[in-house]
Amino acid sequence: MSALKRECKGTPMRLSINQSAAVQWKNGGGTTHELGQRVEAGELIWRLSLANIEKDGPFSIFPGLCRIHTIVAGQGLCLSGDGNTLLVKPFQPVSFDGGLKLEAQLADGPCRAFNVIFDPRRVQATAHLHTTGTMTVDVGEHALFVLAGEMDLGAAGCFSKFQGLVLNGPATGEISDGGVVLHICFAQT
């Protein structure tokens, strides 16, 4: 059975770096832990992953898809190519066309990034951070992923660093002191 999870409508999908083996990139520049995905009628709607970027080099291309890239460890990187330059700094989600041919240049050594890859014809995705205190998410499909500290969602569970869940519906929880949670909101198009 694959460690990659697919969501069942209405059932929260747990995400954890510990439940996914690292897969080496074809170009040898890093590894990726695929955390979860939603597929309908054989087509990718979205995919969530955590990547270790170990050296400068070409970025993976995903034609027809969009991408949100958030540095969660390390100093970040610069993505350039196709007439674009994107500075990706820690804890600042950056959205871009997944079909761009980009080269990554690390800012100061290896880094780790949380990636959302999604089909903009089927869904729109946005990302923002929640910090220490009470967190509330609205109705709809959401991914919550702990980047630091802990998140307590009551009956849905407690989550520590590099763990989280995808849920359909509202939720309220507490984030520990010094905690940071990445919140991805998916909206049907």
Side-chain angles (χ1 to χ4, degrees):
M1 181 172 131
S2 170
L4 184 61
K5 299 176 182 178
R6 288 181 172 80
E7 175 185 9
C8 298
K9 285 284 189 189
T11 303
M13 175 190 352
R14 294 182 74 87
L15 309 170
S16 174
I17 191 171
N18 298 325
Q19 295 175 345
S20 171
V23 176
Q24 186 72 35
W25 296 353
K26 290 178 185 178
N27 71 6
T31 58
T32 296
H33 290 267
E34 291 192 7
L35 301 170
Q37 65 181 3
R38 182 156 66 96
V39 175
E40 290 180 2
E43 293 186 22
L44 178 72
I45 306 300
W46 53 254
R47 184 186 90 178
L48 307 174
S49 63
L50 197 60
N52 294 309
I53 306 167
E54 298 162 4
K55 63 182 181 179
D56 297 345
F59 232 53
S60 298
I61 300 170
F62 296 95
L65 302 176
C66 290
R67 190 170 185 158
I68 301 173
H69 189 74
T70 306
I71 299 296
V72 300
Q75 297 304 306
L77 49 83
C78 177
L79 297 172
S80 59
D82 279 352
N84 297 282
T85 299
L86 304 168
L87 296 176
V88 188
K89 298 179 180 181
F91 300 104
Q92 296 180 14
V94 174
S95 300
F96 56 95
D97 180 339
L100 293 176
K101 294 180 182 177
L102 299 171
E103 291 282 327
Q105 182 176 5
L106 297 169
D108 188 22
C111 59
R112 179 173 268 177
F114 187 91
N115 287 289
V116 181
I117 297 168
F118 63 95
D119 184 343
R121 298 168 300 161
R122 309 283 301 273
V123 68
Q124 290 298 312
T126 56
H128 63 278
L129 299 174
H130 293 278
T131 56
T132 303
T134 302
M135 170 190 64
T136 301
V137 296
D138 295 326
V139 174
E141 186 174 39
H142 304 271
L144 301 170
F145 196 73
V146 179
L147 304 179
E150 296 180 339
M151 171 179 66
D152 183 349
L153 291 177
C158 294
F159 304 86
S160 58
K161 187 174 182 179
F162 297 153
Q163 296 179 335
L165 81 164
V166 176
L167 59 116
N168 285 295
T172 300
E174 293 294 322
I175 301 171
S176 66
D177 287 343
V180 179
V181 173
L182 181 60
H183 175 195
I184 308 297
C185 180
F186 297 103
Q188 300 297 314
T189 55

